[in-house]
Amino acid sequence: TGGFTADSIPQHHYHLGENNYAVVSDFGNVLNVHIRKFKTNENGRIFPTKNGVSFSPYVWESLVTEMDNSSLPSETGKVLIVRDTLFLTSAWIENVPCVSLQRYVTKQDFSRQFLPSVCLLTETEWNQLQCIRKKISESCKSLMFNNFLKKKILLEASSRSPRTNLQMELSDVEMVLSMSLTELLADNIKSRIEEVMVCNGCIENQANQLGHECVTMNFESRHSLYGDLAILSIDIELLVKEFVEKNMQMLNYINETFLNNLNIILLVKNACDMYIASDIMPHRMF
């Protein structure tokens, strides 16, 4: 690409300070968060370099949940490991405290191999990253649903042969398809929240069920604490397959017109509301 200038920073790009940016992209149909150093050429245009790290939105949101308690950078050599793939630690460069981010992979023999690229953020840049974390998460969800989900639905629908073609009013079809997608998304949010939720009572093996968040916490609180993490961990390809399979009789209506008319932001909100409303004991302790 032709890069950009300091006064025309593209959407989903966030300046952290100095030459470091946080970027959310779906390049190559792969959704990633990048923390990366950029460089400015002689014409004042800004381009990414190879110095940085990239990881999935799920890893990003997992990092977000750890930020408040990370106490990075610190003098104690504190290490933070996120989802067994992202390694953060303090680094001192010319007596300036920094946070070092580096990816690693776990090999078959369970040893860890660090990837060569490292991203260094000053304390100011790290604090800025924490300040804009909600914006980055919103960018992840925007690209995930407005771009990634719609592309996958079109690809999946085009690969199928319709069993029958129902003749229905377009407005009725769009309502049925939208509700179907909302219900599937709500089901996915529920299952993912159950998966990512941390219950201290279970961890500590407490005998009293009142000490178990998985028993006492209502769905609204669960969504508040784990909603973004759950949403960004959803397997979009599996969700799309379920949606298309469920609506094979309306396959000829699953097209660009339907997707262009789909208010995806409202759909996600409705799915979250549907999950919260499905709580059979909403008046639990918290």
Side-chain angles (χ1 to χ4, degrees):
T1 63
F4 58 92
T5 60
D7 57 358
S8 61
I9 298 176
Q11 189 179 22
H12 309 308
H13 287 58
Y14 302 94
H15 188 211
L16 301 177
E18 298 295 330
N19 296 316
N20 286 318
Y21 286 78
V23 178
V24 184
S25 77
D26 60 351
F27 179 75
N29 285 328
V30 178
L31 193 58
N32 271 319
V33 178
H34 306 260
I35 312 295
R36 191 167 301 281
K37 185 176 289 294
F38 281 61
K39 65 179 180 181
T40 305
N41 69 8
E42 63 276 8
N43 297 318
R45 300 200 68 80
I46 302 170
F47 296 87
T49 71
K50 294 182 179 180
N51 296 327
V53 293
S54 59
F55 38 83
S56 71
Y58 179 46
V59 173
W60 161 254
E61 198 60 37
S62 300
L63 172 60
V64 166
T65 63
E66 300 281 358
M67 281 181 169
D68 287 334
N69 300 318
S70 69
S71 66
L72 289 172
S74 70
E75 298 181 9
T76 60
K78 180 177 175 63
V79 169
L80 176 62
I81 296 175
V82 181
R83 297 294 168 190
D84 200 24
T85 188
L86 181 63
F87 183 89
L88 295 89
T89 188
S90 298
W92 292 80
I93 309 298
E94 298 179 353
N95 292 323
V96 175
C98 298
V99 176
S100 169
L101 299 91
Q102 189 171 13
R103 285 286 312 279
Y104 68 86
V105 294
T106 303
K107 301 166 71 174
Q108 286 186 337
D109 62 0
F110 301 106
S111 64
R112 291 170 176 169
Q113 178 179 345
F114 283 87
L115 303 183
S117 184
V118 178
C119 180
L120 287 174
L121 299 180
T122 65
E123 187 171 12
T124 300
E125 291 171 331
W126 173 250
N127 290 337
Q128 175 65 5
L129 183 65
Q130 295 184 76
C131 288
I132 62 172
R133 55 189 169 182
K134 191 67 178 176
K135 292 182 179 179
I136 296 173
S137 296
E138 290 301 317
S139 283
C140 288
K141 288 189 287 186
S142 175
L143 285 177
M144 183 176 184
F145 290 106
N146 279 315
N147 292 25
F148 199 64
L149 176 69
K150 290 183 177 181
K151 288 178 183 177
K152 291 295 183 181
I153 288 176
L154 283 177
L155 283 172
E156 184 66 24
S158 65
S159 70
R160 303 290 190 103
S161 298
R163 294 169 183 167
T164 58
N165 282 333
L166 293 180
Q167 299 301 317
M168 299 174 61
E169 291 291 333
L170 183 59
S171 58
D172 293 338
V173 171
E174 290 184 346
M175 182 178 67
V176 171
L177 290 175
S178 296
M179 181 55 68
S180 173
L181 189 54
T182 302
E183 290 172 348
L184 284 171
L185 183 55
D187 289 342
N188 273 262
I189 290 171
K190 180 178 181 179
S191 63
R192 292 308 303 156
I193 284 180
E194 290 173 354
E195 183 70 25
V196 302
M197 181 177 174
V198 176
C199 176
N200 292 311
C202 291
I203 294 172
E204 298 166 4
N205 199 26
Q206 293 187 22
N208 188 343
Q209 284 198 331
L210 292 180
H212 287 250
E213 291 89 344
C214 62
V215 174
T216 60
M217 187 180 293
N218 61 36
F219 283 14
E220 186 172 6
S221 297
R222 296 182 191 198
H223 178 266
S224 176
L225 289 172
Y226 302 105
D228 282 350
L229 184 60
I231 288 171
L232 293 176
S233 70
I234 288 174
D235 186 334
I236 290 294
E237 293 195 7
L238 182 59
L239 173 65
V240 166
K241 287 182 183 296
E242 291 175 348
F243 170 68
V244 172
E245 184 65 33
K246 184 178 179 181
N247 297 285
M248 285 295 291
Q249 289 183 317
M250 290 177 281
L251 190 61
N252 54 317
Y253 292 100
I254 303 176
N255 51 34
E256 286 194 33
T257 300
F258 162 66
L259 293 172
N260 288 336
N261 292 335
L262 188 64
N263 186 335
I264 199 70
I265 295 175
L266 180 60
L267 187 145
V268 174
K269 180 183 181 302
N270 288 342
C272 293
D273 291 343
M274 185 178 291
Y275 161 71
I276 294 171
S278 69
D279 194 350
I280 59 174
M281 292 188 294
H283 303 298
R284 281 173 284 188
M285 294 174 62
F286 60 92

